[in-house]
Amino acid sequence: MEPKPIKGRFAPSPSGRMHLGNAWSALLAWLSVRSRGGTMVLRLEDLDPDRCKPSFCAGVEEDLQWLGLDWDEGGSAGGDTYYQSKRSDIYAAALEQLRKKDLLYPCYCTRGQLHAANAPHRSDGEVIYAGTCRNLTEEERREREKTRRPALRICVPEQEIRFTDRLQGEYAESLTQDCGDFILRRSDGVFAYQLAVVVDDALMGVTDVTRGSDLLSSTPRQIFLQQQLGYETPEYCHVPLLCAPDGRRLSKREADLTLAALRESGMQPETIVGRLAATAGLIDRPEAISVRELIPLFSLNRLPKEDIALRWEE
Ligand code: GLU
């Protein structure tokens, strides 16, 4: 059988302007795919109406293009299909598939109940759900429904999910001990990231998921959903997160390090790309270079596994 053509994706959440940390993961995702002759999709992960704005969607495209990171499919040219906020029917159909397998249940717990003092936590800091609402009777559900709209959770079985990450190597989690029953639709009706990302990666034919290592611990949940929905599992590569030269974690709140601000200050995209490439070990010194010139130099071998401080000095 012919191997599937390689397809990667940019999957930004448009909740702010892109900063250097986003540019770093976008560059590595693009290089991972382009260096193997694959294609890229741009999908806007704008599920959360409180955090995502259309102007940030346009900003993402502008910033990626400015860096020279192109895509073959999606973004505004692809229309509604590539905006998660427009794909509710598709996620609802996937939920229905899981409901028919009797895997879902409504959860009425409040934030306060979830974050009880003794609640165990996952490695990413989220609470491992105690299963409080798993076995409610129909009557108990009806009673709680009167005062609270439920979230929907998926029941996880006693199963270990194991996969080999292209950078991090073997990674395994026990679904019950490390993860717990997780939410697929929030109580306000918004579909959860875990569901949307799995459905979209599968339906869009994504074979290569290169993204920040903050999502490594989401991957077992995503593989479990792929198994339940009958999808293939793509290849994963979790790259270290980029920290500012002084070691602090970059976030969208740091306006000084957005690409828009750096562009305003007169910086050239090749300067930024050169600094990112030197940080990734692709070139020896942080000198200006275009993303295209980096394609033949790309290799995961010199990339560290742990979070890494940006090489910003000349
Ligand atoms: N939209 C997510 C983010 O910006 C990334 C999702 C993913 O790569 O799976 O953090």
Side-chain angles (χ1 to χ4, degrees):
M1 211 168 72
E2 285 275 303
K4 262 188 156 181
I6 291 172
K7 196 184 216 187
R9 44 41 157 219
F10 299 120
S13 301
S15 57
R17 289 305 296 253
M18 276 181 83
H19 58 67
L20 281 174
N22 306 127
W24 160 259
S25 5
L27 173 66
L28 293 172
W30 186 87
L31 286 171
S32 163
V33 165
R34 294 296 192 213
S35 62
R36 291 177 291 157
T39 57
M40 281 304 278
V41 182
L42 170 58
R43 174 174 77 234
L44 283 311
E45 303 213 322
D46 60 346
L47 277 176
D48 190 336
D50 299 332
R51 294 178 58 231
C52 298
K53 286 198 203 145
S55 68
F56 293 140
C57 292
V60 165
E61 294 203 357
E62 194 179 313
D63 292 340
L64 288 173
Q65 278 161 350
W66 182 68
L67 287 174
L69 300 176
D70 59 355
W71 56 94
D72 308 277
E73 184 188 326
S76 54
D80 284 0
T81 313
Y82 297 93
Y83 292 78
Q84 288 192 327
S85 61
K86 308 279 193 228
R87 294 171 62 80
S88 299
D89 292 353
I90 298 173
Y91 308 137
L95 264 193
E96 185 51 24
Q97 220 180 311
L98 298 168
R99 196 192 57 78
K100 284 202 183 121
K101 295 176 90 172
D102 217 10
L103 287 171
L104 306 183
Y105 64 88
C107 169
Y108 303 87
C109 292
T110 60
R111 274 191 80 76
Q113 285 166 319
L114 293 176
H115 291 84
N118 54 356
H121 285 74
R122 273 204 290 264
S123 57
D124 59 8
E126 282 177 59
V127 170
I128 299 177
Y129 186 57
T132 320
C133 292
R134 207 195 241 227
N135 296 313
L136 295 179
T137 62
E138 274 311 314
E139 200 181 328
E140 287 168 325
R141 284 182 182 155
R142 269 197 302 277
E143 198 48 43
R144 284 170 176 69
E145 196 95 27
K146 287 182 188 153
T147 53
R148 200 171 158 76
R149 257 192 86 178
L152 274 183
R153 279 186 195 270
I154 185 160
C155 273
V156 298
E158 295 259 359
Q159 183 186 336
E160 189 188 58
I161 303 272
R162 183 175 281 282
F163 71 101
T164 307
D165 187 273
R166 292 182 63 221
L167 183 66
Q168 309 288 340
E170 286 280 302
Y171 186 81
E173 264 188 18
S174 144
L175 286 176
T176 43
Q177 284 164 40
D178 304 322
C179 172
D181 295 348
F182 55 99
I183 289 186
L184 296 186
R185 199 182 65 202
R186 298 187 338 199
S187 61
D188 61 2
V190 173
F191 292 99
Y193 155 71
Q194 306 292 356
L195 178 71
V197 79
V198 162
V199 170
D200 289 349
D201 282 339
L203 299 190
M204 294 178 185
V206 169
T207 64
D208 179 283
V209 174
T210 297
R211 61 185 177 189
S213 61
D214 52 336
L215 291 168
L216 181 63
S217 65
S218 282
T219 309
R221 276 169 277 172
Q222 295 176 9
I223 293 177
F224 170 62
L225 287 178
Q226 287 153 7
Q227 293 173 349
Q228 297 307 320
L229 290 165
Y231 299 151
E232 279 178 42
T233 293
E235 274 206 297
Y236 287 99
C237 177
H238 288 88
V239 299
L241 298 182
L242 187 71
C243 303
D246 63 7
R248 73 204 146 112
R249 181 105 166 245
L250 295 175
S251 88
K252 285 188 176 150
R253 281 185 290 279
E254 292 176 87
D256 54 327
L257 292 172
T258 62
L259 296 178
L262 294 167
R263 179 165 65 231
E264 279 283 292
S265 75
M267 193 166 282
Q268 296 302 307
E270 292 78 12
T271 309
I272 295 177
V273 170
R275 290 173 183 189
L276 295 176
T279 307
L282 304 179
I283 54 177
D284 294 335
R285 287 177 21 80
E287 50 204 13
I289 190 165
S290 72
V291 293
R292 294 243 150 240
E293 289 169 297
L294 280 177
I295 295 175
L297 305 178
F298 181 70
S299 151
L300 288 175
N301 293 344
R302 291 170 78 183
L303 204 60
K305 295 186 172 71
E306 298 79 34
D307 291 357
I308 180 170
L310 178 66
R311 280 187 64 187
W312 198 246
E313 77 287 357
E314 285 302 332

